[in-house]
Amino acid sequence: MALHRRTGSLASNNIRLTENQVHQNKYDRINESTAKRPEEAYKREFYESFEPVSLINAVATYLCYFILTLFGYIRDFMRRNNFEQVHGANESPELLDFVPLYQDFDSFYTRNVYRRIRDNFNVPLCSGAGSVIRIMERYSTDDNWTFTYTGKSIEAINFGSYNYLGFSETEGYCHDQVKESLEEYGVGICSVRQELGNYDLHSKLEKLTAEFLGVESAITFGMGFATNSLNIPALVGQNCLVLSDQMNHASLVLGIRLSGATVRVFQHNNMKDLEKKLRQAVIKGQPKHFRPWKKILIVVEGIYSMEGSIVRLPELIALKKKYKAYVYLDEAHSIGAIGPHGRGVVDYFGLDPKDVDIMMGTFTKSFGASGGYIGGTKKLIDHLRTCSHSTTYATSMPPPVVQQIISSMSCIMGKNGHSELNRITKLAENTRYFRRRMNELGFVIYGNKDSPVIPILVYMPGKLAVIARECRARGLAVVVVGFPATPLIEARCRICLSSSHTKEQLDEALSILSDIGDQISLKYSRLPLEERISPYLTPDTEEQTTNGVKTHLNGNHHVGNGHVKNGNHNTVINGTKQQLTNGKIKHH
Amino acid sequence: MSTTAWWPYFGPEPWDFRELFQAFFDAPNYHVAFEVILIMLIIWLLLSKSYVIENVQGLTKEEEDNLVLEWKPEPLVPDTPQDHPALQYRTVTKQSGCLVTVDGKEGVNLATFNFLGMVGRDEPVKTAITALSKYGVGSCGPRGFFGTMDVHLNLEKELASFLGVQAAVLYSYGFSTIASAIPSYSKRGDVIFCDKGVNFSIQMGLLASRSALRFYKHNDMEDLERLLQEQAEEDKKNPKKAKVTRRFIVTEALFINYGDIAPLPKLVEFKFKYKVRIFLEESLSLGVLGDSGKGLTEHYNIPVSNVDLICASLENSFGTTGGFCAGTQYVVDHQVLSGSGYCFSASLPPLLASSSLTALEIMKNEPGMFKTLRRNTKLMHEQLNNIPGLKRVGEDVSPVQHLYLTKSVGSHDDDLRLLQSIVDKALDHGAVLTVARYLNDEEYNPPEPSIRVAINCTLTEEMMTTCVDAIKTAVQEVLAQ
């Protein structure tokens, strides 16, 4: 599905990474040149955890897929020979002698694996995506080929939507403003920005967005996905190199593909790998004719929605400056969701937004609207205005959506007397609490300690179905994701926290998850409890003496460049600033 | 088991193994050692990785650092001239059916694709407000992950039943609809036959598909047949490959760049003759062509099932946002899992989906509006034909018309500037027009500069006369300068 390979292997990503490096080092005589202590770039503690899957679970998961495939073949055989009724849609009889519209293998997976758990995807709601939703009840009498709606609905606490700041609401300041603007401007626009699709609202929104991001200028688009896929071609083209993170979103991948630039993929969030590829690119130039690259663009995301990890931006910016590359930062999930002022990863790391060349993000998530933006220098934005596919060919953003963004953004910025900074602090609190408790319970969760996206590793497809169904039955809406969106054996259940979740709701969710976790043994973590939860404890309770102690205390930790070696579970980086001011260092 | 027992299965016995061993023991030691070395050499050659000569001639760290210092990338973006027309947005403050306020001046709308006057009607706004109180604005998720609301399902069902197809699938952005639909079916190795004059979003879809592209001259069926025959001959040469090569014809129903319509009957004929599937982009024709606005198939009175996939945006006649693909269940089901704009993008805000539903209701209840639109179109055509200095292009049924300069003033840019000043002047006289904007560097077949007129059904005869007069005066004034 995606351009980037995400095939599963027995080992986790981290283990594969070291193996690759051994190979490459032997034959690539590019001198390593990473800054000696990249951790110095961080002003705050950076903790990310990716506990690798245990061998037994990996084997069991492969076994699951093997059995699924085996049964798939048997069922297919039965369907072909009319032992079993075919429920799926068939090609029209008059087109049967045409070349089949899609490959048999694709549909084999859909037919025999995905279909079995199809009731957990595309779950229809009959309410907004707030913290409590109403799920339309449906059932299937033919093994999930078709669904029948009962007309009833079930209430559930929503941990599935990207409603980070809780702006998906049906009353309040934003609602009233949108209503007013609907009455004034109507629903649609029917024209593109460059023709007659530029309302005064759009200009207002762009000014506000630029101010919010702390950049010179900004431009907005009607769809987040299209913001990536239609604007990257305006920035890079042939003879340009794009270095793209392994886990980048499909829209980025599509945009890069459309641009015609050469793309090289680096290991997820691995700055060493990135530096090697960057250095190699600068030194060696293009393949075949060895001319230098015209420009190099590094494409990363703020928070990776499937991994819950946060980009190592301080190191990235240092690399970018050193090698004169440009950075395209997709803040789809991070804008609004992290940082003390809700302004994304740049704010989170306390960096200057001007160091990031292209600040991209969407309004779909934290702002509770839809669409996307790009912020940067005036020169960049002017260029995009003239060259972007979106402004020339795609209908501009509808007025109610624009108004929703303006209102919610003003709330976050504390304008209009509606200071809602508490939403940001609430979200951070919720994140910390939920992540700590999940670790305490023994689940394997991925990602950064401050990321409101929390993937819970489930591994086995059967458990995936159970957790989704059980949660729904007990009034908890969670997202489950499996292959091909994740590596084959890393099927996971994803929790997206929101500032609108109350502590009671979090506790209820935790108790439900814990219960199900016990029933189907999801509490996979093999790390000692203390180690799992220590990053989440408040600093006062866990201060220790020196840096050296840390490595002695725990051989598993590899402190420093963030490169995770085989057998290590965590990556820890301590901010030097903190060390200097406290004169002490934390212990994990 | 002795050698004689199993050897016959592999053919006649070439030698005796005992002899072989004997020869081995008899050979001098240096010979054996030499052979062993040779064998090890072969193994080493087989196992060793091939190397690139540049990698071995390594640079020192200083040399590398110098190279890094030396390298000067191009600036991220080139400078944009501040007088670039695309930087001068015209600001709209109000749009209601037939009237638009641009830069503070009100005029009759001949520019937005609001063919049925849906923008400016109260009903879609009312439903949007009701939906706002129920759903909020954003759906906060893609369709797969709690972004599916009941209104999305209703809209899909209603659209499918309106068009008379089995199923429809909703996208959140018109531009991305066809651009995602094409690559979800057509992959590398497949062949797409495409009209040379298709709109930009189709071109993006073609590009993303990475299939082999065969462009035929705009609406030229002989050229298309020639290409199809070429393909058929190629297929004969390589029937194995032909068995897995999907073939598609992709065309716009009503061409936005030319204002004419695709000859669908001929395409359908080719479809069955050459076994090619048809993808039809109906963004402009939906809600415009046909007695009940069902688009090109209704216009030609061809069963809709003859077209494999219909893609359309809801951003024109429907006056909202979004798009959809419609076809048989078999075809549409595939997109739900593989249309990247569907799977990975947040779903359409529910309030927009509900206004689309209302717009569809209105279209069903007031089929008179299609007649009015056709009447307006006809009237406008007659009048636009007699504007000295401008040449009208576009078919009679098409509410989208292009006005070209009869005589180019020289370069493409000068023409564009001239047309823009006509547009500006016309606004002073009460007609809102727009120059058709293109990215000339990106278009496969860049169209000539033109003023694109879009006619809607809310215009009265009087308004149209004033508009045409306004354009006439504007042209006279500008050309006189």
Side-chain angles (χ1 to χ4, degrees):
Chain A
M1 190 175 282
L3 184 69
H4 298 183
R5 303 232 152 64
R6 297 198 49 171
T7 46
S9 86
L10 196 69
S12 80
N13 295 329
N14 301 328
I15 296 175
R16 257 182 288 143
L17 171 160
T18 36
E19 286 166 358
N20 285 348
Q21 279 192 339
V22 172
H23 270 296
Q24 284 166 4
N25 282 343
K26 198 166 166 191
Y27 298 101
D28 274 346
R29 291 270 186 90
I30 292 288
N31 289 307
E32 295 279 334
S33 159
T34 323
K36 285 283 180 298
R37 296 178 58 82
E39 69 272 23
E40 283 170 10
Y42 294 87
K43 289 177 184 160
R44 57 160 64 220
E45 179 198 354
F46 190 84
Y47 173 88
E48 257 170 29
S49 146
F50 293 93
E51 190 179 333
V53 55
S54 64
L55 188 66
I56 177 110
N57 282 324
V59 171
T61 311
Y62 278 115
L63 204 63
C64 285
Y65 281 104
F66 174 75
I67 294 169
L68 275 170
T69 316
L70 193 73
F71 272 82
Y73 278 116
I74 296 172
R75 294 288 286 273
D76 268 9
F77 174 80
M78 283 165 63
R79 282 181 204 122
R80 256 200 310 278
N81 296 298
N82 299 328
F83 292 123
E84 189 187 330
Q85 201 191 337
V86 179
H87 296 286
N90 281 324
E91 178 73 294
S92 338
E94 61 202 21
L95 299 179
L96 280 179
D97 51 345
F98 280 51
V99 178
L101 196 56
Y102 31 93
Q103 292 292 327
D104 198 48
F105 177 75
D106 294 0
S107 40
F108 177 84
Y109 185 82
T110 317
R111 210 166 41 232
N112 296 308
V113 182
Y114 168 76
R115 192 252 317 143
R116 288 169 182 272
I117 55 173
R118 199 162 84 104
D119 54 331
N120 305 310
F121 302 96
N122 291 47
V123 178
L125 312 183
C126 52
S127 71
S131 61
V132 177
I133 51 175
R134 297 204 72 83
I135 298 174
M136 288 165 79
E137 198 177 64
R138 56 179 186 173
Y139 65 93
S140 177
T141 49
D142 51 6
D143 284 348
N144 293 346
W145 284 107
T146 54
F147 292 104
T148 319
Y149 294 94
T150 57
K152 280 186 270 182
S153 64
I154 322 158
E155 197 175 84
I157 311 172
N158 183 9
F159 282 90
S161 299
Y162 311 127
N163 180 24
Y164 299 122
L165 293 183
F167 279 111
S168 174
E169 48 194 5
T170 48
E171 53 190 17
Y173 173 71
C174 295
H175 170 268
D176 300 343
Q177 295 259 308
V178 174
K179 193 175 161 200
E180 259 172 48
S181 108
L182 261 173
E183 279 156 359
E184 193 183 339
Y185 292 97
V187 182
I189 286 199
C190 298
S191 191
V192 303
R193 279 302 283 284
Q194 292 206 6
E195 290 171 6
L196 283 173
N198 180 50
Y199 282 25
D200 48 351
L201 270 181
H202 292 99
S203 314
K204 193 174 159 194
L205 172 64
E206 286 179 353
K207 272 202 200 94
L208 191 71
T209 309
E211 191 192 329
F212 180 71
L213 295 171
V215 293
E216 279 177 25
S217 189
I219 179 170
T220 57
F221 306 97
M223 180 192 187
F225 187 91
T227 310
N228 279 333
S229 56
L230 302 185
N231 286 304
I232 295 179
L235 299 168
V236 284
Q238 282 197 330
N239 300 325
C240 298
L241 176 70
V242 176
L243 288 166
S244 168
D245 191 286
Q246 191 188 9
M247 299 297 177
N248 272 347
H249 189 250
S251 57
L252 293 164
V253 175
L254 181 64
I256 296 166
R257 189 200 290 174
L258 289 177
S259 74
T262 310
V263 55
R264 287 185 189 155
V265 179
F266 63 92
Q267 306 283 345
H268 175 57
N269 222 352
N270 183 338
M271 293 300 127
K272 268 209 155 166
D273 191 43
L274 171 65
E275 166 153 36
K276 209 164 81 221
K277 294 201 160 124
L278 252 178
R279 200 170 167 81
Q280 187 164 7
V282 175
I283 290 167
K284 294 206 176 146
Q286 304 186 35
K288 288 186 185 163
H289 53 67
F290 306 114
R291 304 267 155 74
W293 294 102
K294 276 188 175 170
K295 47 195 166 190
I296 299 178
L297 184 68
I298 305 169
V299 180
V300 289
E301 286 183 43
I303 293 182
Y304 291 85
S305 63
M306 285 295 166
E307 313 297 315
S309 48
I310 295 179
V311 64
R312 298 171 179 278
L313 199 62
E315 282 176 73
L316 185 75
I317 284 178
L319 285 183
K320 164 222 133 105
K321 284 183 177 160
K322 183 169 175 197
Y323 293 99
K324 290 168 262 184
Y326 302 107
V327 173
Y328 186 107
L329 175 64
D330 176 346
E331 296 218 67
H333 287 269
S334 53
I335 193 73
I338 56 170
H341 312 95
R343 311 210 174 158
V345 277
V346 176
D347 186 27
Y348 174 75
F349 289 114
L351 299 168
D352 184 0
K354 295 190 175 66
D355 281 339
V356 179
D357 300 274
I358 302 130
M359 301 261 281
M360 180 270 163
T362 65
F363 298 125
T364 318
K365 282 111 193 174
S366 302
F367 300 98
S370 78
Y373 65 79
I374 287 183
T377 58
K378 185 163 184 304
K379 191 175 153 186
L380 169 79
I381 303 303
D382 281 355
H383 174 76
L384 287 179
R385 279 188 207 288
T386 57
C387 299
S388 160
H389 301 170
S390 305
T391 54
T392 325
Y393 297 105
T395 309
S396 43
M397 212 188 275
V401 175
V402 179
Q403 186 58 52
Q404 164 76 12
I405 305 164
I406 294 180
S407 310
S408 54
M409 201 181 270
S410 317
C411 283
I412 301 173
M413 291 167 82
K415 288 191 168 188
N416 308 355
H418 280 267
S419 175
E420 307 235 7
L421 268 172
N422 55 348
R423 290 188 192 239
I424 297 163
T425 43
K426 184 81 204 304
L427 178 62
E429 262 168 39
N430 281 355
T431 303
R432 200 159 262 253
Y433 176 70
F434 202 85
R435 276 191 171 264
R436 181 171 66 81
R437 290 283 297 132
M438 284 307 276
N439 271 314
E440 263 172 26
L441 290 172
F443 288 97
V444 173
I445 59 172
Y446 272 4
N448 195 290
K449 73 173 172 49
D450 289 323
S451 142
V453 183
I454 306 172
I456 306 167
L457 271 287
V458 175
Y459 305 124
M460 282 161 236
K463 290 188 180 181
L464 202 65
V466 174
I467 192 170
R469 286 177 193 148
E470 269 301 296
C471 282
R472 238 186 0 263
R474 300 189 194 189
L476 183 67
V478 293
V479 165
V480 288
V481 208
F483 181 78
T486 65
L488 188 63
I489 60 162
E490 287 182 26
R492 59 195 70 174
C493 160
R494 188 180 60 186
I495 301 277
C496 286
L497 294 175
S498 162
S499 68
S500 60
H501 290 139
T502 59
K503 179 131 189 310
E504 290 71 45
Q505 284 172 333
L506 294 183
D507 281 334
E508 198 185 331
L510 284 163
S511 83
I512 293 171
L513 281 171
S514 172
D515 218 23
I516 298 170
D518 285 334
Q519 273 177 27
I520 58 173
S521 50
L522 279 179
K523 297 175 176 174
Y524 292 117
S525 187
R526 287 161 302 145
L527 296 179
L529 178 71
E530 184 207 351
E531 192 181 316
R532 285 201 305 263
I533 59 162
S534 56
Y536 299 97
L537 300 178
T538 46
D540 332 347
T541 56
E542 39 140 6
E543 274 171 1
Q544 289 282 323
T545 46
T546 59
N547 201 0
V549 176
K550 184 165 35 179
T551 20
H552 279 298
L553 270 177
N554 195 328
N556 276 339
H557 277 147
H558 178 84
V559 183
N561 56 14
H563 173 101
V564 186
K565 279 191 182 157
N566 196 345
N568 285 357
H569 306 299
N570 300 332
T571 317
V572 187
I573 288 172
N574 272 345
T576 17
K577 200 171 178 183
Q578 207 168 14
Q579 289 173 28
L580 289 173
T581 46
N582 292 349
K584 291 173 192 166
I585 189 87
K586 283 183 214 160
H587 162 242
H588 301 282
Chain B
M1 203 195 290
S2 76
T3 39
T4 41
W6 52 266
W7 192 259
Y9 295 105
F10 298 91
E13 194 174 356
W15 57 66
D16 196 328
F17 271 92
R18 238 170 310 162
E19 246 175 68
L20 199 72
F21 278 106
Q22 199 57 48
F24 180 74
F25 288 118
D26 288 350
N29 278 350
Y30 71 88
H31 188 94
V32 173
F34 182 67
E35 293 225 350
V36 166
I37 290 169
L38 280 183
I39 288 168
M40 278 163 69
L41 192 71
I42 290 170
I43 292 171
W44 179 74
L45 278 174
L46 285 177
L47 293 183
S48 71
K49 257 197 161 177
S50 65
Y51 61 88
V52 187
I53 195 83
E54 293 79 42
N55 287 342
V56 180
Q57 299 166 337
L59 298 165
T60 61
K61 193 158 179 307
E62 287 71 45
E63 282 174 320
E64 282 182 5
D65 284 340
N66 282 339
L67 279 175
V68 171
L69 280 179
E70 245 173 57
W71 182 58
K72 277 232 149 43
E74 277 185 8
L76 180 60
V77 288
D79 280 315
T80 310
Q82 283 306 304
D83 62 340
H84 194 288
L87 293 184
Q88 271 71 54
Y89 287 141
R90 301 156 82 203
T91 306
V92 177
T93 37
K94 189 136 191 73
Q95 181 178 168
S96 63
C98 47
L99 295 177
V100 185
T101 313
V102 184
D103 295 331
K105 296 167 200 159
E106 193 176 61
V108 177
N109 179 9
L110 285 178
T112 65
F113 298 127
N114 187 14
F115 301 123
L116 301 179
M118 290 297 176
V119 176
R121 287 185 75 131
D122 287 338
E123 299 96 319
V125 176
K126 269 190 199 136
T127 30
I129 291 175
T130 324
L132 175 69
S133 308
K134 189 176 172 196
Y135 303 100
V137 178
S139 58
C140 285
R143 286 290 295 269
F145 304 153
F146 301 104
T148 303
M149 274 64 177
D150 45 1
V151 273
H152 295 127
L153 300 174
N154 281 348
L155 181 57
E156 281 173 353
K157 213 169 82 193
E158 289 297 318
L159 282 169
S161 81
F162 175 68
L163 287 175
V165 294
Q166 288 175 359
V169 53
L170 199 61
Y171 278 77
S172 59
Y173 206 36
F175 189 95
S176 295
T177 311
I178 185 102
S180 300
I182 295 176
S184 69
Y185 299 104
S186 184
K187 312 277 181 198
R188 203 189 280 275
D190 298 335
V191 182
I192 301 179
F193 300 91
C194 186
D195 192 292
K196 220 172 174 176
V198 289
N199 70 22
F200 196 72
S201 58
I202 299 183
Q203 293 175 35
M204 279 297 106
L206 298 176
L207 197 61
S209 74
R210 302 196 268 190
S211 307
L213 305 178
R214 311 257 190 279
F215 284 100
Y216 59 91
K217 284 183 204 141
H218 176 54
N219 273 351
D220 185 342
M221 289 301 108
E222 279 169 22
D223 199 33
L224 172 62
E225 185 152 31
R226 181 182 61 80
L227 290 173
L228 287 167
Q229 272 166 354
E230 270 175 23
Q231 180 66 33
E233 260 161 48
E234 213 172 281
D235 287 348
K236 256 185 221 156
K237 275 185 217 153
N238 196 348
K240 226 179 187 175
K241 193 180 157 205
K243 244 186 179 168
V244 291
T245 309
R246 284 171 283 249
R247 279 155 252 137
F248 302 93
I249 296 176
V250 177
T251 183
E252 237 179 310
L254 173 55
F255 286 86
I256 191 171
N257 294 351
Y258 302 96
D260 52 5
I261 55 176
L264 191 61
K266 202 80 186 156
L267 291 175
V268 171
E269 187 193 317
F270 287 157
K271 168 181 169 175
F272 289 105
K273 195 168 164 194
Y274 296 99
K275 310 247 177 293
V276 206
R277 294 171 193 270
I278 301 179
F279 285 1
L280 194 62
E281 216 271 359
E282 296 235 42
S283 285
L284 286 186
S285 52
L286 184 75
V288 170
L289 296 180
D291 288 336
S292 49
K294 291 176 190 169
L296 194 63
T297 46
E298 195 187 25
H299 176 78
Y300 282 119
N301 212 0
I302 287 177
V304 70
S305 59
N306 281 333
V307 177
D308 292 77
L309 189 72
I310 290 177
C311 295
S313 95
L314 300 172
E315 288 158 10
N316 304 325
S317 308
F318 282 73
T320 57
T321 298
F324 69 94
C325 292
T328 57
Q329 194 78 44
Y330 175 77
V331 174
V332 169
D333 271 359
H334 183 58
Q335 257 188 63
V336 175
L337 287 172
S338 65
S340 53
Y342 176 90
C343 297
F344 299 111
S345 159
S347 58
L348 185 67
L351 66 93
L352 297 174
S354 11
S355 342
S356 300
L357 264 173
T358 312
L360 189 61
E361 275 306 301
I362 297 174
M363 280 160 70
K364 278 189 199 158
N365 295 338
E366 302 174 22
M369 60 208 303
F370 305 110
K371 270 198 194 105
T372 326
L373 179 63
R374 215 152 302 141
R375 190 206 63 191
N376 284 357
T377 308
K378 205 163 162 238
L379 273 172
M380 208 54 187
H381 283 194
E382 286 158 7
Q383 299 190 41
L384 286 175
N385 275 336
N386 343 310
I387 296 180
L390 290 183
K391 172 178 73 185
R392 182 195 67 83
V393 170
E395 231 160 279
D396 280 349
V397 285
S398 156
V400 174
Q401 302 289 317
H402 285 265
L403 299 174
Y404 297 96
L405 290 172
T406 28
K407 215 169 70 206
S408 166
V409 286
S411 74
H412 178 278
D413 285 359
D414 290 338
D415 284 358
L416 200 64
R417 226 160 280 146
L418 193 72
L419 288 171
Q420 185 61 51
S421 43
I422 293 176
V423 167
D424 292 341
K425 274 268 153 35
L427 177 61
D428 295 336
H429 297 293
V432 179
L433 297 167
T434 181
V435 171
R437 300 275 189 188
Y438 306 106
L439 295 175
N440 281 320
D441 302 336
E442 310 262 333
E443 285 272 358
Y444 174 73
N445 180 26
E448 293 295 300
S450 67
I451 295 176
R452 192 176 51 227
V453 178
I455 298 148
N456 73 51
C457 73
T458 54
L459 299 175
T460 60
E461 244 174 90
E462 192 189 343
M463 278 174 179
M464 287 188 273
T465 326
T466 13
C467 274
V468 175
D469 287 340
I471 302 172
K472 270 185 195 161
T473 343
V475 174
Q476 270 170 10
E477 282 173 25
V478 170
L479 290 183
Q481 280 170 9

